[in-house]
Amino acid sequence: MAVSPQFYLLLSAIVFCTGLFGILVRRNALMFLMSVELMLNAANINFVAFSHYYGNLTGQVFSLFVIALAAAEVAIGIGIILVLYRNFDDIDVTKATTMRW
């Protein structure tokens, strides 16, 4: 029994909305990064689902690129979080507006 693409789209929409909610509500930088990861994973679900539906590997290749992009985003994000914690003793993203020359 095959799962129809509508279920994958519904799952992807739920995961994306959860990530969007996390970005809009949370102030913690780690939660912010995790929410961005959720949104990228929702895009990966769509890529793989449509790749399977249309029978080609293009979506899976794009999904690998998105995973590589997410790994780079985490590496840069952890560096920014460490600088925030070192300067402000907190990882609240609203305090980063005071970091100016």
Side-chain angles (χ1 to χ4, degrees):
M1 182 170 116
V3 180
S4 67
Q6 288 86 9
F7 293 113
Y8 291 115
L9 292 176
L10 180 65
L11 174 67
S12 176
I14 291 169
V15 171
F16 188 84
C17 288
T18 304
L20 184 65
F21 179 76
I23 284 178
L24 294 176
V25 173
R26 302 288 180 173
R27 292 184 183 182
N28 190 343
L30 288 175
M31 292 294 178
F32 193 81
L33 280 177
M34 289 183 356
S35 297
V36 170
E37 291 292 324
L38 280 175
M39 293 173 72
L40 289 173
N41 284 330
N44 283 339
I45 292 171
N46 279 332
F47 283 143
V48 172
F50 283 117
S51 172
H52 179 69
Y53 181 71
Y54 288 116
N56 59 10
L57 295 176
T58 307
Q60 294 177 11
V61 171
F62 274 113
S63 179
L64 288 175
F65 283 123
V66 170
I67 290 171
L69 177 77
E73 177 253 335
V74 166
I76 299 296
I78 293 296
I80 292 170
I81 288 171
L82 288 173
V83 169
L84 275 174
Y85 186 74
R86 187 181 308 151
N87 288 338
F88 298 110
D89 293 329
D90 194 15
I91 52 174
D92 188 4
V93 292
T94 58
K95 292 184 180 180
T97 58
T98 60
M99 286 180 62
R100 296 186 181 158
W101 294 95

